[in-house]
C-alpha cells in the first residue's frame, strides 16, 4: 500500500507528500530501532526481532498517513471510502497490461543480481566485501536518476493524456539531461575521492584497492546509467512497459550474468572485470532505450 499510494500521489503531481511521509517513517524507524533492539529503562529490547518490529510499525504509520492524505477532500488525489466500490474490469485489464511487464522487468533484474552475486562470492570473501561497499557507495549516484525518473514518468504520462506527444518526448529528454548533470558530478567525486570513500568502510588495503578500481569504473558510465533510470521511467509513464522488460532481459542475463560467468568464474579476472561487464550492460541498455525513446512508436 505504501508503494501504490505513494505512486498515485506522485502521478497526480504531488511528490512532496510521499517525501515528507517517508522522512517521518524513517525517523520513526530509527527511534523504534533503538528502543526495540537495545531497550530503554527497564525494558531490555528484543534484539533482531525488535529491528523487524520497528520496520513494520514505521511502515504501518507511513501507510496510515498516506491513506489519510488521499481520503482528504482537499487532496488533489481524493478517494472516498464511503462510496460504493465495484471492480472495473476494463481498468483492471489496463492495469495488468501495464504492470505485469514492469513487475517482470524487476524480477529479471533481481534474479540476475542474485545469480551473478553468487558468482562474485566464488571469487573470494574480500572481493565480495569490496563489491558490496562499492555498490553501497554507488547507490548515492542513483538518487538524481530516480528523482528525475519520477518526474519524467509523471509529466510524460500527463502530456500524453493531453495528446501532446512532442512535449512528452521533450520532457523525458530534459529530465535525462538534468539527471545526467547531477550524476556526472557525483561520478567525478567518485573518481577523485575513491580512496577516501573506500576508507570510510574498511581499513583492509586489498579491499580499498578493489573498491577504488570499481568506483572509477562506475564514474565513467554515469550518463548511460541516467538513461536506464530516467528513460525507462519515461517509457513506463508513456505506457511502454514491455520494451524496458526486454532490454533488461538482454542486459542482465545476456550480458551481465553471462559475462561475469565467463570473465570471473572461468577466466578468473577478478572484481574489476565484474564491474566492467556491469558497465557494458549499462551502456548497451542505455543505447537501446534511448533509440527506442527517440524513434519508437510509444
Amino acid at each position: 500500500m505504501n508503494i501504490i499510494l505513494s505512486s498515485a500521489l506522485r502521478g497526480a503531481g504531488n511528490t512532496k507528500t510521499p517525501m515528507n511521509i517517508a522522512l517521518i517513517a524513517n525517523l520513526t524507524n530509527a527511534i523504534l530501532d533503538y528502543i526495540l533492539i537495545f531497550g530503554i529503562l527497564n525494558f531490555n529490547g528484543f534484539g533482531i526481532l525488535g529491528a523487524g518490529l520497528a520496520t513494520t510499525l514505521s511502515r504501518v504509520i507511513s501507510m496510515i498517513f498516506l491513506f489519510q492524505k488521499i481520503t482528504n477532500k482537499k487532496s488533489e488525489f481524493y478517494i472516498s471510502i464511503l462510496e460504493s466500490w465495484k471492480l472495473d474490469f476494463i481498468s483492471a485489464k489496463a492495469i495488468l497490461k501495464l504492470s505485469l511487464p514492469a513487475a517482470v522487468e524487476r524480477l529479471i533484474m533481481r534474479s540476475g543480481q542474485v545469480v551473478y552475486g553468487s558468482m562474485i562470492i566464488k571469487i573470494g570473501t574480500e572481493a565480495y566485501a569490496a563489491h558490496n561497499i562499492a555498490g553501497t557507495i554507488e547507490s548515492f549516484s542513483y538518487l538524481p536518476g530516480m528523482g528525475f525518473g519520477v518526474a519524467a514518468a509523471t509529466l510524460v504520462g500527463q502530456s500524453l493524456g493531453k495528446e501532446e506527444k512532442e512535449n512528452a518526448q521533450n520532457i523525458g529528454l530534459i529530465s535525462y539531461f538534468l539527471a545526467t548533470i547531477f550524476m556526472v558530478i557525483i561520478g567525478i567525486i567518485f573518481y577523485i575521492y575513491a580512496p577516501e570513500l573506500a576508507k570510510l568502510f574498511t581499513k583492509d588495503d586489498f579491499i580499498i584497492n578493489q573498491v577504488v578500481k570499481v568506483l572509477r569504473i562506475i564514474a565513467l558510465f554515469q550518463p548511460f546509467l541516467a538513461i536506464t533510470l530516467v528513460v525507462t521511467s519515461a517509457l513506463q509513464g508513456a505506457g511502454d512497459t514491455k520494451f524496458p522488460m526486454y532490454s533488461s532481459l538482454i542486459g542482465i542475463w545476456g550480458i551481465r550474468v553471462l559475462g561475469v560467468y565467463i570473465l570471473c568464474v572461468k577466466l578468473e579476472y577478478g572484481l574489476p572485470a565484474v564491474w566492467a561487464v556491469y558497465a557494458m550492460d549499462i551502456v548497451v541498455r542505455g543505447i537501446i532505450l534511448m533509440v527506442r525513446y527517440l524513434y519508437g512508436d510509444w
Side-chain angles (χ1 to χ4, degrees):
M1 287 188 72
N2 274 295
I3 293 169
I4 301 265
L5 296 179
S6 294
S7 297
L9 286 168
R10 292 189 186 104
N14 183 346
T15 57
K16 287 185 178 180
T17 295
M19 178 191 71
N20 292 333
I21 292 174
L23 178 62
I24 293 169
N26 278 285
L27 289 173
T28 303
N29 194 5
I31 294 168
L32 290 177
D33 266 335
Y34 184 85
I35 295 172
L36 295 177
I37 293 173
F38 303 110
I40 188 172
L41 298 177
N42 294 325
F43 173 62
N44 294 324
F46 298 115
I48 191 65
L49 176 61
L53 289 171
T55 299
T56 301
L57 289 171
S58 66
R59 287 177 178 172
V60 169
I61 291 169
S62 173
M63 182 195 68
I64 291 170
F65 279 128
L66 287 166
F67 198 73
Q68 286 179 335
K69 177 64 179 178
I70 69 167
T71 54
N72 185 339
K73 289 185 177 181
K74 295 180 180 179
S75 172
E76 71 289 326
F77 189 84
Y78 168 64
I79 296 176
S80 173
I81 60 173
L82 301 177
E83 293 177 0
S84 175
W85 283 13
K86 63 179 180 179
L87 181 60
D88 183 339
F89 287 99
I90 295 175
S91 296
K93 183 179 178 181
I95 290 168
L96 287 171
K97 184 179 178 181
L98 292 173
S99 63
L100 285 178
V104 171
E105 190 258 344
R106 292 290 97 183
L107 177 62
I108 289 169
M109 183 169 292
R110 300 308 173 202
S111 60
Q113 288 174 340
V114 170
V115 171
Y116 76 75
S118 66
M119 295 180 192
I120 297 169
I121 293 174
K122 293 179 182 179
I123 300 174
T125 54
E126 289 179 325
Y128 189 66
H131 172 75
N132 284 327
I133 291 170
T136 300
I137 297 170
E138 183 207 18
S139 65
F140 286 94
S141 71
Y142 277 73
L143 300 179
M146 293 173 67
F148 285 107
V150 169
T154 301
L155 297 175
V156 166
Q158 290 179 353
S159 294
L160 288 178
K162 299 175 184 176
E163 298 184 355
E164 299 173 353
K165 182 175 179 179
E166 184 177 347
N167 186 52
Q169 190 175 63
N170 289 336
I171 285 171
L173 292 175
I174 291 169
S175 298
Y176 162 67
F177 287 123
L178 290 172
T180 299
I181 291 170
F182 284 98
M183 292 176 71
V184 166
I185 292 171
I186 293 173
I188 292 170
I189 294 171
F190 284 174
Y191 196 92
I192 296 172
Y193 296 104
E196 288 75 14
L197 292 169
K199 288 175 184 177
L200 294 174
F201 293 85
T202 182
K203 295 180 180 179
D204 186 296
D205 289 336
F206 176 80
I207 295 176
I208 289 171
N209 179 261
Q210 294 288 293
V211 173
V212 168
K213 290 179 180 178
V214 169
L215 286 178
R216 286 175 174 165
I217 293 172
I218 291 170
L220 299 176
F221 62 74
Q222 289 302 305
F224 295 95
L225 183 59
I227 297 176
T228 64
L229 293 171
V230 178
V231 174
T232 294
S233 295
L235 288 170
Q236 290 173 339
D240 186 357
T241 55
K242 287 185 178 180
F243 194 84
M245 177 187 70
Y246 296 139
S247 68
S248 291
L249 180 62
I250 294 169
I252 298 296
W253 286 91
I255 298 176
R256 200 180 300 189
V257 172
L258 183 60
V260 170
Y261 177 75
I262 294 172
L263 293 180
C264 300
V265 177
K266 290 297 184 181
L267 300 179
E268 300 181 351
Y269 280 150
L271 187 63
V274 171
W275 284 83
V277 172
Y278 183 119
M280 186 185 302
D281 162 35
I282 295 296
V283 170
V284 170
R285 270 197 293 147
I287 292 171
I288 292 173
L289 287 164
M290 184 58 81
V291 170
R292 172 69 174 183
Y293 190 75
L294 292 175
Y295 304 107
D297 184 18
W298 49 267

